[in-house]
Each structure stands twice: as structure tokens, then as C-alpha cells.
Amino acid sequence: SETIQMNMLSNTSKEYKYTVNIMNSQKRTEEMKNVIYENVVKMQNDFVAVEDVNQMIKKLMKVQEIGNVEDKMHSFNMDNIGNAYDLMVSQAKNAIECNIIDLQNATNGIERGSLVVPVAQAGVGKSMFLTDWTAKQTKKGNNVLYITLELSEIKIYERIIANWLNKPISDFKNMNKKEFTKTLNNFKKKNNIGELFIYRFNPNQFTVEQLRKIIDKLSMEYELKHNIPLSFDLICVDYLGLMKASVKGDNSYEELKSISEDLRSVAVDYDCVVCSPSQATRKKDGSSSITLNDIAGSMGIAHTADVVISLDDNSNNSSNELLVIQNLKMSIIKNRFGACSSNITVTTNKKTMTFGVNIDGNCK
């Protein structure tokens, strides 16, 4: 009926928001206008006149660009000192807690709207860093979106479960379905687990624009289903060097800088923390100390990121990859939220996929 159609056009309705979201994710193209026009007419069985459809499209096209957070401006003067204090407290309270105690102490938590880039050579533990942070955040009740461009989504999930339960992956992989379900349900009862979404995409094909579409789609579908909005606290993309730039640059420097800038804009637009590792180049002199100059492909990543962490196994011996309990050297080589620090020893347990464990292999 016409009444139902007009109610759908109300900017407070779920249908309107969902339509706006889809259109935003397609970037206002003329082609998208035509697609919407054809589908609306078909859907409504011509109950809506062509002129009305055109008006609806024009109305919808006035919404903001991609991103679900409007630009905010605050005026700071001596008349609103109390408001300024409230904002500072709120910002600190809403910061995302780090997964490693030394990193937390150095940053006091990562402010929302920030890009974190762990840097390491192949096989050191970039993905384990991400799954560890994901497990600890979801265990606190926070929502995490994990994009994997390397490992399968089930491999990522296995690592997170091992971290949750503090048990080797082999323990629960040997369970039957009934026992596995019971174990996870008992864990769920004891913890307020946040939402976790894991997506897998082919390397060198996934773009930041696709990331935005996924966030918008998940958010709106969740709201339509549960009648409450969904927002992400942490978004992990594994990893930055495997992404495809939205705009083709003349060299890898420009493309990787573009990707890192776009990822940081996602963090700002969606009021979350984005973490995406980058590969470190191998040093010819055999030294193990990683600097900003050792980020593979582009110093533009270092310029854009808010926090850059280097991870190194302190050894050129490849047999270290076989160790279960392993000490890594962590350095905070860029930190917008505090001082940089180096030579931090972080112990990892590859059986339980945890960062920051004591000599007995238990989580701190």
C-alpha cells in the first residue's frame, strides 16, 4: 500500500537505513541509480509512479558518503571545561585494551579510530598476534571482524578457540561433536563472548571498499534480525601487503600507502581499531632489529599507522619455528599514544596460540 511505501521512506525505518547503506557501499554511481530504479519498479509491481521513484532516489542520494559516522566538531573554550573533561574520560574509557601487558602500559590502550601495524618476517607470529588479540577482545564481550587473506577461516577459528580455552588445538579437534559443543557452551556460560565474524578472501583481490561493504552489510543485517545495532570494536585484516589498492599506483609505495590510509579511515569512520600486519624485509647483515625502514614495500605505512610494533624471534635459526614455547623480542617503534620502547620479551605458546605467557605456559 502507499502508506507502507511512505513509511519505508522514513529515515528512521530499518528498510530505509538498509537501502542507504547498500547505496553508500556502491559509491553513488550512475549505474547504481539505474539498478535501484529498475529493482524498485519491479519490486513494487508499478504501484509507485516513475516520478516518485526518481524522487526517492534523489532523496536517498543526499545521504553521507561511505562510512557510518558523521564528522563531529567540538568547540573547546573556558566555558565548557566540564564537557572537555567528559570527552577525555570517555575517550580513555572506550580505548581498546591491548593483548600484551607491555603494549597496554605503553599506550594506555589503543584509541578508537587508530591503525595498528605489527611488523615481522614470515613465520614469526603476525597471524598469531591477531588471533590472540581477537580471542582476548571477544572474551571481554567486544565485537571483532577478522578478514583472512592467507589462512582458511577454520584455521583462524581453531586458533581463537585454543586461545579461549587455553588448550592445544589437538585437544578439541579430537573431541566428538557432542563433547565439543558441551565444552564451548560451558565456556560461553562463564564468559560474555562478543560477536565474531571471520571472512576469507583471495589475496591481492580484497580491497578496502569490500571491507566497508562487509561492515555495512553485517551491521544492517544484525540490526534487522536482533533489533539492536552492531558495531565492531576491533577489525583485523591479515595482512596489509596482501590487499589490493582501490587505485592503481605507479609503484608499491603509493599502493601500500593508499591501502594503509584507507584502513585508517575505516577505523575513524566506524569508531574502532583496525589492526593489519605488514611484512618485514630480511636484513642482509643478519641483524634482527627491525626499524620503520624495514617495512616491506612502503614507508607510507609507517607514516600512516598510529602504532607500529616489531616482532622478532631473535635468531636466524629456522628450527625455532618448531618450538612450542618461544620468546619473541617486541619493540614499539612508533607510538602516537606514548613513548616508544624496545627489547620487550614476549613469550608465546604455539599450542594454545597465546601471546604473553609465563614459564609454565599459562596466560598472564
Side-chain angles (χ1 to χ4, degrees):
S1 69
E2 183 177 348
T3 302
I4 293 175
Q5 293 167 17
M6 294 309 296
N7 286 340
M8 192 277 278
L9 288 176
S10 167
N11 59 12
T12 60
S13 75
K14 296 177 184 177
E15 293 82 1
Y16 177 90
K17 292 178 181 177
Y18 187 78
T19 307
V20 167
N21 233 315
I22 296 300
M23 294 182 69
N24 278 344
S25 68
Q26 296 295 338
K27 281 193 115 175
R28 300 191 181 198
T29 63
E30 193 65 36
E31 178 184 358
M32 191 60 194
K33 291 183 184 180
N34 295 332
V35 170
I36 293 171
Y37 173 83
E38 292 171 3
N39 279 278
V40 169
V41 173
K42 181 179 180 181
M43 178 179 67
Q44 298 291 351
N45 295 320
D46 294 325
F47 289 162
V48 180
V50 174
E51 294 78 15
D52 293 334
V53 175
N54 284 331
Q55 286 300 315
M56 178 168 65
I57 292 174
K58 289 179 181 179
K59 181 178 179 181
L60 291 175
M61 297 311 282
K62 290 181 180 179
V63 299
Q64 64 183 27
E65 292 283 357
I66 291 177
N68 61 356
V69 178
E70 296 180 358
D71 293 334
K72 296 178 181 178
M73 182 186 73
H74 297 284
S75 174
F76 295 98
N77 53 56
M78 297 307 293
D79 297 326
N80 63 359
I81 297 174
N83 290 340
Y85 176 82
D86 291 339
L87 284 170
M88 289 190 295
V89 172
S90 175
Q91 185 181 59
K93 184 178 179 180
N94 291 325
I96 302 300
E97 186 174 340
C98 300
N99 56 329
I100 301 172
I101 188 65
D102 296 279
L103 184 58
Q104 174 67 20
N105 291 339
T107 61
N108 291 316
I110 307 296
E111 291 181 7
R112 294 172 184 269
S114 302
L115 173 63
V116 178
V117 178
V119 181
Q121 294 180 357
V124 172
K126 296 188 295 296
S127 295
M128 188 162 64
F129 179 93
L130 291 190
T131 53
D132 179 79
W133 203 2
T134 296
K136 288 175 180 174
Q137 281 297 307
T138 49
K139 197 171 180 179
K140 291 177 179 293
N142 288 338
N143 303 324
V144 180
L145 171 61
Y146 195 113
I147 305 294
T148 174
L149 306 178
E150 198 168 35
L151 298 173
S152 70
E153 58 270 44
I154 195 62
K155 289 296 183 186
I156 298 300
Y157 187 49
E158 287 175 358
R159 291 182 173 201
I160 293 169
I161 294 175
N163 195 300
W164 278 346
L165 303 178
N166 196 28
K167 293 180 179 292
I169 293 175
S170 58
D171 281 12
F172 58 81
K173 288 186 77 171
N174 292 328
M175 297 177 182
N176 58 43
K177 186 175 182 179
K178 183 178 181 180
E179 186 180 5
F180 176 80
T181 304
K182 181 180 179 180
T183 301
L184 265 294
N185 282 335
N186 288 337
F187 173 76
K188 182 180 178 181
K189 289 177 183 178
K190 297 177 183 178
N191 299 275
N192 179 30
I193 303 299
E195 298 290 346
L196 171 63
F197 296 89
I198 306 173
Y199 280 76
R200 183 187 186 185
F201 290 89
N202 291 330
N204 303 315
Q205 295 183 15
F206 183 72
T207 66
V208 176
E209 294 304 324
Q210 285 178 285
L211 175 60
R212 288 181 177 275
K213 292 177 187 178
I214 291 170
I215 299 170
D216 291 342
K217 178 176 179 291
L218 289 174
S219 299
M220 293 312 301
E221 287 181 350
Y222 189 90
E223 184 173 356
L224 288 169
K225 183 178 180 179
H226 300 282
N227 205 31
I228 55 173
L230 171 71
S231 58
F232 290 103
D233 301 285
L234 176 65
I235 296 175
C236 298
V237 182
D238 190 9
Y239 59 92
L240 196 152
L242 293 179
M243 294 185 69
K244 178 182 178 182
S246 301
V247 180
K248 185 70 175 176
D250 294 333
N251 51 53
S252 62
Y253 174 93
E254 293 179 358
E255 291 183 358
L256 289 172
K257 184 174 185 291
S258 171
I259 292 170
S260 58
E261 289 173 344
D262 288 345
L263 284 175
R264 191 173 188 276
S265 71
V266 167
V268 173
D269 287 346
Y270 293 97
D271 196 32
C272 64
V273 171
V274 174
C275 183
S276 187
S278 180
Q279 195 85 352
T281 56
R282 291 194 176 274
K283 288 180 170 289
K284 295 180 180 179
D285 59 5
S287 63
S288 60
S289 180
I290 296 174
T291 69
L292 293 175
N293 293 321
D294 298 318
I295 299 178
S298 179
M299 266 296 288
I301 296 174
H303 294 153
T304 306
D306 298 282
V307 178
V308 180
I309 309 156
S310 72
L311 298 168
D312 202 286
D313 65 1
N314 257 337
S315 171
N316 295 319
N317 189 349
S318 59
S319 64
N320 272 16
E321 295 182 7
L322 303 176
L323 296 176
V324 174
I325 303 295
Q326 183 177 357
N327 288 328
L328 299 181
K329 187 183 79 171
M330 183 181 81
S331 296
I332 304 170
I333 53 180
K334 181 180 180 181
N335 183 11
R336 291 193 198 275
F337 310 116
C340 295
S341 55
S342 59
N343 299 323
I344 301 168
T345 299
V346 179
T347 308
T348 65
N349 185 331
K350 291 187 178 181
K351 278 191 175 181
T352 58
M353 291 294 161
T354 50
F355 262 77
V357 294
N358 61 26
I359 194 69
D360 298 318
N362 298 314
C363 290
K364 286 184 179 179

